[in-house]
Amino acid sequence: MPDNAPSATTRSAVQALALHPGPQFGLDAAAAALSVPVEEAARLLDALVTQGLLVEVSPLRYQLADRQHSRTRPLPGNDPHRRDTVRRIIDWYQVTATAAEQAVTAYRIRPHAVPAHLSAGVGRLATWSQAVDWLEAERVNLVAAVHAAAGDMPDVAFSLADTMWPLFRLGGHYPDRLEVDRVALDCARRLDSPDLHLAASQRAAEGLCDAGRFGQATRLLQACLHAGERGGDTHRIAPALGGLTAVALARGDLDVAERHARRAVNVSKASGSTRHRVLALLVLGQVYRASGRPALALAHVRDAQRLLQTLTRVDPRTRRRVLPDPYTTVRLEVEHGLALSGDGKHQQAAGLLAKALTAMTALHARRGQAIAQHALGQVTAASGNHTAARRHLLDALEVSTALGDHEAAAARQLLRQLPPGKDTL
């Protein structure tokens, strides 16, 4: 390639890469944009880096050079090459995000096809760690891709937003989550799909609740509940009741929380959904613990743990038992520990919660780590070890504040209640 003027191939490649929705991209995304095999894309990107048109910001991670952004003549909005390139990029993110989702949330496995224009090897993220690491690394690009698709491809934008749920469940990222949920709701309205709108409303309500926007969350959850009741759809009713329970618990309205939670258990049992029943038992256990009934809390948490174990499957490749939802498994361990502490068994509870914290760390679940640290703070404070309690609560506060989670306020309150001076142990 001549040094004084870029070739037609170079100009075309730069124009295609400039259409990438996020600021940086990896080799596979570049191959999708260029519509070439990964090996060929690698050679072309190396050439662009050599010419100063591209910057390799980290191994196999690129962005256009600053001067190139101003020099690149964008393809017209109605240019078919532009539309095709954007679609290839978004398809690549969709397929790979779906693979990540399925590695993390095995219970949500749904059939999906790899578009013919993408490599057959695209989307292979076999392990939990690979999937979560990819989702975290590509978070900014995934959010940008949702926005890029929302204009002309609302169905694709909705689907991509839906596959991002494991990222937000484990990592929080509430500003991004709330924005993606907003776009998904708008796409569902434009698609004129009541089912998609209800699914997006439930998802958005959960994010709003976690972020402490309880009024907005309640309005969406009540709409989901009423829609489920009108259609007799127990699979809509149970999650809506679970969300309303979470809001009532956060607000300290234990009577309302118990009413919603008890109904959620009954509805989920009638629905035949084991997973919904597990989640309903978990939140009812939380209600009983919050209202000072640890024995009832323990009974319901143990019931949920037994039920969740029935969903264990055997991986046909490794012949190993696989938990369908490791995150909920550990959340139940946290609740188990808190219920034990409520029954006065602080040492046993602390041991269980320490293991839960280790498990949440292994799952790359930042919000889960904050929940476990907060629980350890409560238990060590109850046992009189205020130094340990302060350490755990400060760790929980740091993560919750960074995530924008409403639990940060509860951690601050508990820290203020710790007495100064020496520990009682």
Side-chain angles (χ1 to χ4, degrees), residues 177-231:
R177 178 176 183 173
L178 296 178
E179 177 61 15
V180 168
D181 287 340
R182 183 194 66 76
V183 174
L185 274 168
D186 181 64
C187 289
R189 291 191 192 98
R190 289 163 54 203
L191 292 167
D192 195 24
S193 170
D195 285 342
L196 292 183
H197 191 267
L198 285 172
S201 295
Q202 179 72 38
R203 185 68 50 77
E206 292 169 1
L208 289 164
C209 179
D210 290 343
R213 301 185 185 183
F214 302 125
Q216 292 171 274
T218 298
R219 287 190 289 275
L220 286 175
L221 289 165
Q222 287 175 338
C224 291
L225 176 61
H226 295 155
E229 289 172 336
R230 285 194 302 271

Side-chain angles (χ1 to χ4, degrees), residues 163-180:
T163 62
M164 293 174 68
W165 183 65
L167 168 65
F168 296 137
R169 185 190 194 203
L170 298 174
H173 303 297
Y174 290 111
D176 284 343
R177 178 176 183 173
L178 296 178
E179 177 61 15
V180 168

